[in-house]
PDB file of all heavy atoms in Angstrom:
ATOM      1  N   TYR A  39     -13.496  35.144  12.226  1.00 97.00           N
ATOM      2  CA  TYR A  39     -13.564  36.400  11.547  1.00 97.00           C
ATOM      3  C   TYR A  39     -12.333  37.178  11.975  1.00 97.00           C
ATOM      4  O   TYR A  39     -11.966  37.407  13.173  1.00 97.00           O
ATOM      5  CB  TYR A  39     -14.808  37.270  11.924  1.00 97.00           C
ATOM      6  CG  TYR A  39     -14.894  38.404  11.136  1.00 97.00           C
ATOM      7  CD1 TYR A  39     -15.294  38.459   9.844  1.00 97.00           C
ATOM      8  CD2 TYR A  39     -14.623  39.733  11.800  1.00 97.00           C
ATOM      9  CE1 TYR A  39     -15.480  39.581   9.111  1.00 97.00           C
ATOM     10  CE2 TYR A  39     -14.764  40.845  11.016  1.00 97.00           C
ATOM     11  CZ  TYR A  39     -15.185  40.745   9.714  1.00 97.00           C
ATOM     12  OH  TYR A  39     -15.391  41.975   8.978  1.00 97.00           O
ATOM     13  N   VAL A  40     -11.579  37.688  10.989  1.00 97.00           N
ATOM     14  CA  VAL A  40     -10.374  38.547  11.181  1.00 97.00           C
ATOM     15  C   VAL A  40     -10.708  39.862  10.872  1.00 97.00           C
ATOM     16  O   VAL A  40     -10.994  40.334   9.641  1.00 97.00           O
ATOM     17  CB  VAL A  40      -9.173  37.863  10.324  1.00 97.00           C
ATOM     18  CG1 VAL A  40      -8.030  38.854  10.604  1.00 97.00           C
ATOM     19  CG2 VAL A  40      -8.849  36.508  10.630  1.00 97.00           C
ATOM     20  N   ALA A  41     -10.609  40.913  11.916  1.00 97.00           N
ATOM     21  CA  ALA A  41     -10.813  42.257  11.700  1.00 97.00           C
ATOM     22  C   ALA A  41      -9.506  42.867  11.099  1.00 97.00           C
ATOM     23  O   ALA A  41      -8.349  42.660  11.639  1.00 97.00           O
ATOM     24  CB  ALA A  41     -11.159  43.000  12.965  1.00 97.00           C
ATOM     25  N   THR A  42      -9.559  43.534   9.990  1.00 95.00           N
ATOM     26  CA  THR A  42      -8.533  44.229   9.242  1.00 95.00           C
ATOM     27  C   THR A  42      -8.541  45.700   9.390  1.00 95.00           C
ATOM     28  O   THR A  42      -7.565  46.351   9.156  1.00 95.00           O
ATOM     29  CB  THR A  42      -8.413  43.670   7.837  1.00 95.00           C
ATOM     30  OG1 THR A  42      -9.597  44.046   7.189  1.00 95.00           O
ATOM     31  CG2 THR A  42      -8.132  42.146   7.720  1.00 95.00           C
ATOM     32  N   SER A  43      -9.638  46.243   9.847  1.00 95.00           N
ATOM     33  CA  SER A  43      -9.885  47.607  10.095  1.00 95.00           C
ATOM     34  C   SER A  43     -11.151  47.709  10.923  1.00 95.00           C
ATOM     35  O   SER A  43     -11.789  46.773  11.308  1.00 95.00           O
ATOM     36  CB  SER A  43     -10.012  48.478   8.798  1.00 95.00           C
ATOM     37  OG  SER A  43     -11.333  48.190   8.204  1.00 95.00           O
ATOM     38  N   CYS A  44     -11.536  48.967  11.206  1.00 93.00           N
ATOM     39  CA  CYS A  44     -12.723  49.264  12.057  1.00 93.00           C
ATOM     40  C   CYS A  44     -14.025  48.709  11.417  1.00 93.00           C
ATOM     41  O   CYS A  44     -14.792  48.363  12.157  1.00 93.00           O
ATOM     42  CB  CYS A  44     -12.877  50.800  12.322  1.00 93.00           C
ATOM     43  SG  CYS A  44     -11.489  51.405  13.460  1.00 93.00           S
ATOM     44  N   ASN A  45     -14.042  48.709  10.084  1.00 93.00           N
ATOM     45  CA  ASN A  45     -15.238  48.370   9.351  1.00 93.00           C
ATOM     46  C   ASN A  45     -15.151  47.154   8.404  1.00 93.00           C
ATOM     47  O   ASN A  45     -16.057  46.809   7.728  1.00 93.00           O
ATOM     48  CB  ASN A  45     -15.744  49.661   8.509  1.00 93.00           C
ATOM     49  CG  ASN A  45     -16.015  50.767   9.277  1.00 93.00           C
ATOM     50  OD1 ASN A  45     -16.731  50.739  10.260  1.00 93.00           O
ATOM     51  ND2 ASN A  45     -15.430  51.947   8.864  1.00 93.00           N
ATOM     52  N   ASP A  46     -13.971  46.483   8.388  1.00 93.00           N
ATOM     53  CA  ASP A  46     -13.733  45.472   7.450  1.00 93.00           C
ATOM     54  C   ASP A  46     -13.082  44.131   8.063  1.00 93.00           C
ATOM     55  O   ASP A  46     -12.441  44.359   9.151  1.00 93.00           O
ATOM     56  CB  ASP A  46     -12.947  46.007   6.257  1.00 93.00           C
ATOM     57  CG  ASP A  46     -13.085  45.219   4.914  1.00 93.00           C
ATOM     58  OD1 ASP A  46     -14.007  44.311   4.931  1.00 93.00           O
ATOM     59  OD2 ASP A  46     -12.238  45.519   4.018  1.00 93.00           O
ATOM     60  N   GLY A  47     -13.080  43.207   7.406  1.00 95.00           N
ATOM     61  CA  GLY A  47     -12.433  41.986   7.862  1.00 95.00           C
ATOM     62  C   GLY A  47     -12.468  40.822   6.852  1.00 95.00           C
ATOM     63  O   GLY A  47     -12.989  41.010   5.711  1.00 95.00           O
ATOM     64  N   VAL A  48     -11.933  39.676   7.220  1.00 96.00           N
ATOM     65  CA  VAL A  48     -11.969  38.449   6.311  1.00 96.00           C
ATOM     66  C   VAL A  48     -12.373  37.328   7.097  1.00 96.00           C
ATOM     67  O   VAL A  48     -12.066  37.207   8.355  1.00 96.00           O
ATOM     68  CB  VAL A  48     -10.380  38.345   5.953  1.00 96.00           C
ATOM     69  CG1 VAL A  48     -10.303  37.124   5.099  1.00 96.00           C
ATOM     70  CG2 VAL A  48      -9.867  39.531   5.229  1.00 96.00           C
ATOM     71  N   VAL A  49     -12.946  36.449   6.522  1.00 97.00           N
ATOM     72  CA  VAL A  49     -13.468  35.191   7.119  1.00 97.00           C
ATOM     73  C   VAL A  49     -12.498  34.071   6.727  1.00 97.00           C
ATOM     74  O   VAL A  49     -12.090  33.851   5.641  1.00 97.00           O
ATOM     75  CB  VAL A  49     -14.873  34.795   6.562  1.00 97.00           C
ATOM     76  CG1 VAL A  49     -15.244  33.382   6.983  1.00 97.00           C
ATOM     77  CG2 VAL A  49     -15.844  35.859   6.969  1.00 97.00           C
ATOM     78  N   LEU A  50     -12.040  33.346   7.829  1.00 97.00           N
ATOM     79  CA  LEU A  50     -11.206  32.127   7.661  1.00 97.00           C
ATOM     80  C   LEU A  50     -12.044  30.963   7.955  1.00 97.00           C
ATOM     81  O   LEU A  50     -12.455  30.683   9.054  1.00 97.00           O
ATOM     82  CB  LEU A  50     -10.001  32.201   8.605  1.00 97.00           C
ATOM     83  CG  LEU A  50      -8.999  33.194   8.391  1.00 97.00           C
ATOM     84  CD1 LEU A  50      -7.768  33.124   9.384  1.00 97.00           C
ATOM     85  CD2 LEU A  50      -8.360  33.143   7.001  1.00 97.00           C
TER      86      LEU A  50
END
Side-chain angles (χ1 to χ4, degrees):
Y39 186 79
V40 178
T42 56
S43 72
C44 294
N45 299 312
D46 203 10
V48 178
V49 171
L50 296 178

